[in-house]
Amino acid sequence: MPMDRRTELANSVAIGKDGWLFHRDNSVFEQMSGAKSLSNAEVQTWVDLISGHQQWLSERNIEFCFFIAPEKHVVYRDHLPQGTVISERRPAMQVIRALRNTTPIDPVYPDEELRDERVSRETYHAVGTHWNFFGGFLAYRQLAREIAKRVDIPILDIEEIRFLESWIHAGDLGVRLDPEPETPEHRCCVSFSKSKSLFGSTNYDRGHVAIYENLDVTLPKAVIFRDSSFTWILPFLSESFSRIVAVGTPHLYYDLIEREKPDIVILEMIERWVGPPRESPAFIVKKTPLRELSELSVDEIARKTGLIIGFVDSPAPKSEVRAPFDVTGWAVSLKGVQEIGVYLDGRSLGNADIGISRPDLARFPCVDAATSGFRFRLDAATLNIPAGKHHLMVQAVSRDGLRQKLCDISITIAP
């Protein structure tokens, strides 16, 4: 990397107490201190934009939620560089107060819960911009509680969350420095997930499309317009909805909403975006047609449906196995699973035996969930498969023709 670019990146990072890093992007320190607060006219511009969305949705009997992701600077204000001030006159708070005082909109802003729960474990990554998955879960929980006041959804409890080994890495701020500092990032997931990412587009900036579906089709539907902060929330929120379509954009796309017919629309923005309108992507970023933004039409997004959830228990990825060995796992689908195909190095070896008892999976709202196990005996000698590295793929096919890879891994067959 050229030295001037490295210097520019390093200058965009503020080093706080105990090595905690904070970004300087979008004049965030000036916003947080209130030095860059909004005029009355600028506050009204925000109120007009957000209340206009709410009015359009209300006319179609669709609920609306405005969610503001707190800056790490607010939640970890005690770790900021000496002398840094966090003001109640920062732009996001001005907009929140104005919306609450003059409209029916009560923005969700989970700063207190993210700060309070730090007594149990960190909620943001020390050398990254965003919250970690635990912080994402806390943000989800507050968002879901607000949604549940108007839309009947289940809300995950902390007992339904499994904590994983922390991931040590440099984060998106640490990589701007030389040398790159690395710290642990807490991770967690849903212990018994009924939802899954059905589709994710390859453009990871604005225009990214993510589709989640849930095996419980009786739950409501949601359409979300969001930034990168919401990535940590989606795996949890998808447990509360039958279908979620989330688009990376600060704009609402009414054509997508009309096609999806959701019960609620969520607009999420990171706090620094809720700043001066002349600098916020909500106003300065051109609202291009959805296909140009996402490379997908509204109808193409709507057609991406259908869910199979499963897992290959054995063999494990990159493991060494001694033939003969069993390929085992489970798969569930709303319409039931028709077959489980096993492939090695692209060659079909046949179908696994299905219908094996799995009482631990009976909680899935699917036909045959309690007998969703499968097993395939792979005898390398009989199939003339040499020892060494191989590529194993297992694919489930539902009774209505959906196909889903359950694994696509490398294994080593011992001699």
Side-chain angles (χ1 to χ4, degrees):
M1 181 183 298
M3 186 56 66
D4 55 344
R5 177 58 176 159
R6 171 66 75 179
T7 302
E8 179 185 346
L9 288 172
N11 289 339
S12 69
V13 177
I15 302 177
K17 299 172 185 175
D18 301 321
W20 278 69
L21 305 183
F22 299 86
H23 71 85
R24 297 184 182 276
D25 304 336
N26 305 102
S27 305
V28 67
F29 276 83
E30 290 76 12
Q31 286 195 46
M32 296 303 102
S33 69
K36 207 167 191 177
S37 58
L38 304 181
S39 67
N40 291 338
E42 289 174 323
V43 172
Q44 190 59 48
T45 297
W46 273 105
V47 170
D48 292 344
L49 174 71
I50 303 303
S51 60
H53 291 325
Q54 191 271 339
Q55 179 64 34
W56 187 90
L57 293 166
S58 178
E59 291 169 357
R60 290 155 180 80
N61 297 313
I62 300 172
E63 296 290 342
F64 174 65
C65 185
F66 183 38
F67 180 95
I68 300 175
E71 291 289 346
K72 178 180 170 183
H73 307 59
V74 174
V75 178
Y76 281 84
R77 61 184 71 187
D78 54 321
H79 285 57
L80 285 165
Q82 189 72 30
T84 306
V85 175
I86 299 297
S87 170
E88 287 304 299
R89 278 192 54 77
R90 59 190 186 276
M93 292 305 301
Q94 291 180 282
V95 173
I96 289 171
R97 285 193 292 268
L99 287 169
R100 288 173 177 169
N101 291 337
T102 63
T103 76
I105 301 166
D106 185 7
V108 179
Y109 180 71
D111 61 324
E112 291 184 6
E113 187 162 15
L114 287 161
R115 191 160 56 243
D116 293 345
E117 290 293 335
R118 286 171 43 192
V119 298
S120 60
R121 51 177 53 85
E122 305 293 2
T123 56
Y124 284 68
H125 188 209
V127 294
T129 303
H130 302 95
W131 41 41
N132 54 37
F133 271 109
F134 178 57
F137 169 72
L138 297 173
Y140 149 76
R141 192 166 60 178
Q142 189 157 332
L143 173 61
R145 286 169 179 165
E146 180 61 33
I147 292 172
K149 295 176 183 177
R150 293 166 284 157
V151 179
D152 186 16
I153 59 169
I155 302 175
L156 291 171
D157 196 74
I158 192 70
E159 283 75 22
E160 298 177 77
I161 300 302
R162 178 164 55 96
F163 289 92
L164 309 172
E165 183 179 349
S166 293
W167 177 35
I168 299 175
H169 66 111
D172 61 349
L173 294 179
V175 296
R176 302 184 190 185
L177 304 180
D178 187 13
E180 298 179 0
E182 294 186 339
T183 62
E185 179 179 10
H186 294 308
R187 296 186 301 148
C188 61
C189 67
V190 182
S191 298
F192 191 82
S193 177
K194 298 183 180 68
S195 68
K196 182 179 179 181
S197 173
L198 189 68
F199 173 81
S201 57
T202 55
N203 52 327
Y204 293 105
D205 197 6
R206 292 188 187 126
H208 179 263
V209 176
I211 300 174
Y212 283 75
E213 288 199 352
N214 194 306
L215 291 171
D216 188 348
V217 296
T218 67
L219 296 174
K221 294 169 60 177
V223 170
I224 300 167
F225 302 97
R226 54 93 173 203
D227 59 44
S228 59
S229 299
F230 217 84
T231 302
W232 283 261
I233 297 178
L234 279 170
F236 303 113
L237 193 66
S238 63
E239 297 295 318
S240 300
F241 288 91
S242 63
R243 177 174 165 90
I244 288 176
V245 174
V247 183
T249 176
H251 306 295
L252 264 63
Y253 281 82
Y254 293 157
D255 50 346
L256 176 63
I257 295 169
E258 290 179 321
R259 182 66 173 83
E260 284 290 320
K261 296 180 173 57
D263 297 277
I264 189 167
V265 168
I266 301 167
L267 173 62
E268 178 269 329
M269 293 186 192
I270 186 68
E271 181 169 355
R272 64 183 177 276
W273 282 14
V274 190
R278 64 187 178 278
E279 300 174 13
S280 171
F283 297 95
I284 65 172
V285 173
K286 180 183 176 183
K287 183 180 178 181
T288 58
L290 184 65
R291 176 179 274 285
E292 292 181 28
L293 178 79
S294 66
E295 300 177 357
L296 290 167
S297 69
V298 167
D299 287 339
E300 285 171 319
I301 292 173
R303 282 197 293 267
K304 295 184 183 299
T305 63
L307 185 63
I308 299 173
I309 291 180
F311 187 74
V312 173
D313 296 317
S314 65
K318 299 182 180 179
S319 61
E320 181 175 280
V321 293
R322 193 169 298 278
F325 63 91
D326 288 335
V327 178
T328 65
W330 57 272
V332 293
S333 171
L334 286 174
K335 299 298 177 85
V337 173
Q338 176 176 294
E339 65 182 46
I340 304 288
V342 178
Y343 301 79
L344 197 71
D345 303 326
R347 167 191 170 192
S348 173
L349 302 184
N351 292 332
D353 295 326
I354 60 176
I356 296 172
S357 177
R358 286 296 299 261
D360 57 315
L361 303 175
R363 291 174 291 175
F364 277 118
C366 301
V367 296
D368 307 327
T371 54
S372 59
F374 64 82
R375 180 183 295 113
F376 181 87
R377 188 69 165 173
L378 199 158
D379 189 335
T382 302
L383 295 170
N384 295 318
I385 298 171
K389 273 193 174 182
H390 295 276
H391 198 83
L392 175 70
M393 193 269 279
V394 179
Q395 178 177 252
V397 182
S398 67
R399 290 179 188 144
D400 55 349
L402 291 172
R403 295 176 180 271
Q404 175 67 50
K405 286 184 182 179
L406 303 183
C407 81
D408 199 353
I409 62 174
S410 63
I411 59 172
T412 299
I413 299 179

